[in-house]
DNA sequence: TAGTCGTGGGT
DNA sequence: TACCCAAGACT
């Protein structure tokens, strides 16, 4: 849920989610339609399906217990380098280099003296953070949480609060006079008018409907017919929607 | 590896 | 107002 999504928006949904589905097997038994409705407007709904699929794997292949092994975790749908190590560190209290957008920024500044992180260098990023971690599991896990929290609360992207920073004395960026970031800027994403917006509109209609909807109902969600059809097709391909025998559309069973 | 995939709050 | 950005993963 937290992938590319602010903590404050995730928290209430996560709380309800865990009360409703306290175990992987309980969650795996839910229908995809129920999962997508519970996911609501968190965004990137394919994450919900991947989480659902991961729960099924955990239930059937791992005895309903979340694995404590990087490779087993990364083999789960939707679990990549960051999530696998975050589960290890925060779920299992293990020593694991947790590299998210916050940690990348903290390391870029405090260690490398740069204004910001720039493009990901996966291997080097992992090595940078690994070098910061103490040997013992419990302390390393706490430091991992601290690095993330520092980036999220103090060493922020826009206006870092260096006056409140506990490691300002050791910060290479501070020592260098806080030079502005000069590396390549990631291309602005844009949203209005994109397929992502259209897919969101279409899925919004399906989530709100208690019964399957006909094509005309979906037509009302977006005026450009070609783009609408393309996006509807992509939702079907992604398993986020299904077409029934009578031609109507609904969330997947 | 560069593009794609939602959504909403902050500036 | 238009961006920027947010506990990334996958292709």
């Amino acid at each position: 849920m937290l992938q590319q999504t602010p903590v404050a928006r995730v928290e209430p949904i996560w709380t309800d989610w865990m009360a409703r589905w306290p175990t992987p097997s309980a969650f795996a038994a839910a229908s995809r339609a129920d999962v997508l409705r519970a996911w609501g407007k968190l965004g990137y709904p394919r994450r919900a399906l991947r989480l659902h699929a991961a729960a099924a794997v955990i239930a059937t292949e791992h005895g309903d217990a979340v694995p404590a092994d990087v490779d087993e975790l990364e083999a789960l749908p939707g679990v990549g380098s960051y999530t696998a190590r975050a589960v290890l560190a925060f779920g299992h209290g293990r020593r694991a280099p947790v590299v998210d957008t916050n940690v990348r920024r903290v390391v870029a500044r405090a260690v490398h003296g740069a204004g910001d992180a720039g493009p990901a260098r996966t291997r080097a990023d992992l090595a940078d953070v690994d070098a910061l971690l103490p040997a013992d599991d419990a302390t390393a896990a706490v430091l991992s949480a601290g690095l993330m929290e520092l980036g999220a609360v103090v060493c922020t992207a826009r206006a870092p609060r260096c006056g409140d920073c506990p490691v300002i004395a050791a910060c290479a960026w501070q020592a260098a006079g806080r030079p502005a970031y000069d590396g390549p800027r990631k291309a602005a994403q844009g949203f209005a008018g994109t397929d992502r917006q259209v897919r969101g509109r279409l899925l919004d209609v399906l989530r709100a409907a208690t019964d399957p909807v006909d094509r005309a109902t979906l037509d009302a969600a977006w005026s450009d017919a070609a783009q609408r059809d393309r996006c509807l097709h992509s939702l079907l391909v992604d398993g986020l929607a299904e077409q029934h025998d009578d031609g109507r559309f609904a969330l997947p069973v």
Side-chain angles (χ1 to χ4, degrees):
Chain A
M1 289 176 176
L2 290 163
Q3 292 166 1
Q4 292 284 285
T5 307
V7 174
R9 198 185 314 161
V10 166
E11 198 252 280
I13 293 178
W14 179 83
T15 302
D16 294 346
W17 192 283
M18 295 307 291
R20 182 174 183 181
W21 297 302
T23 65
S25 54
F27 173 47
S31 74
R32 285 184 293 172
D34 284 346
V35 170
L36 289 170
R37 288 202 174 88
W39 193 263
K41 295 177 76 70
L42 258 193
Y44 294 143
R46 291 186 297 186
R47 294 181 298 168
L49 298 185
R50 290 176 184 147
L51 185 58
H52 194 226
V57 174
I58 292 171
T60 60
E61 297 182 19
H62 298 288
D64 220 17
V66 179
D69 174 85
V70 196
D71 295 325
E72 290 180 356
L73 285 165
E74 286 194 353
L76 297 172
V79 177
S81 174
Y82 157 74
T83 303
R85 289 165 179 79
V87 167
L88 276 177
F90 309 136
H92 296 293
R94 298 273 295 278
R95 181 188 189 281
V98 179
V99 182
D100 76 327
T101 186
N102 293 301
V103 173
R104 289 197 346 102
R105 184 174 54 251
V106 168
V107 170
R109 288 176 179 162
V111 177
H112 298 299
D116 220 325
R121 312 140 42 237
T122 312
R123 299 298 293 275
D125 290 336
L126 279 176
D128 282 348
V129 175
D130 187 78
L132 297 176
L133 296 180
D136 94 279
D137 282 314
T139 312
V142 171
L143 180 62
S144 293
L147 286 173
M148 288 186 62
E149 195 71 4
L150 185 64
V153 176
V154 175
C155 194
T156 56
R158 297 287 178 81
R161 299 160 50 196
C162 297
D164 296 329
C165 183
V167 297
I168 188 170
C171 179
W173 187 44
Q174 194 70 220
R178 294 173 60 175
Y181 175 72
D182 61 348
R185 276 292 167 196
K186 49 185 168 186
Q189 275 205 341
F191 180 64
T194 62
D195 285 2
R196 282 152 64 209
Q197 182 180 24
V198 178
R199 285 164 54 102
R201 289 275 186 88
L202 294 173
L203 205 57
D204 214 20
V205 172
L206 297 181
R207 270 195 308 261
T210 54
D211 297 311
V213 303
D214 53 28
R215 194 176 286 274
T217 303
L218 291 174
D219 288 353
W222 195 257
S223 58
D224 183 330
Q227 186 179 23
R228 194 177 61 231
D229 290 347
R230 178 175 71 242
C231 289
L232 179 55
H233 179 71
S234 74
L235 289 175
L236 294 170
V237 169
D238 287 344
L240 289 163
E242 284 181 356
Q243 185 170 25
H244 293 197
D245 292 337
D246 63 5
R248 295 190 297 170
F249 298 90
L251 294 179
V253 176

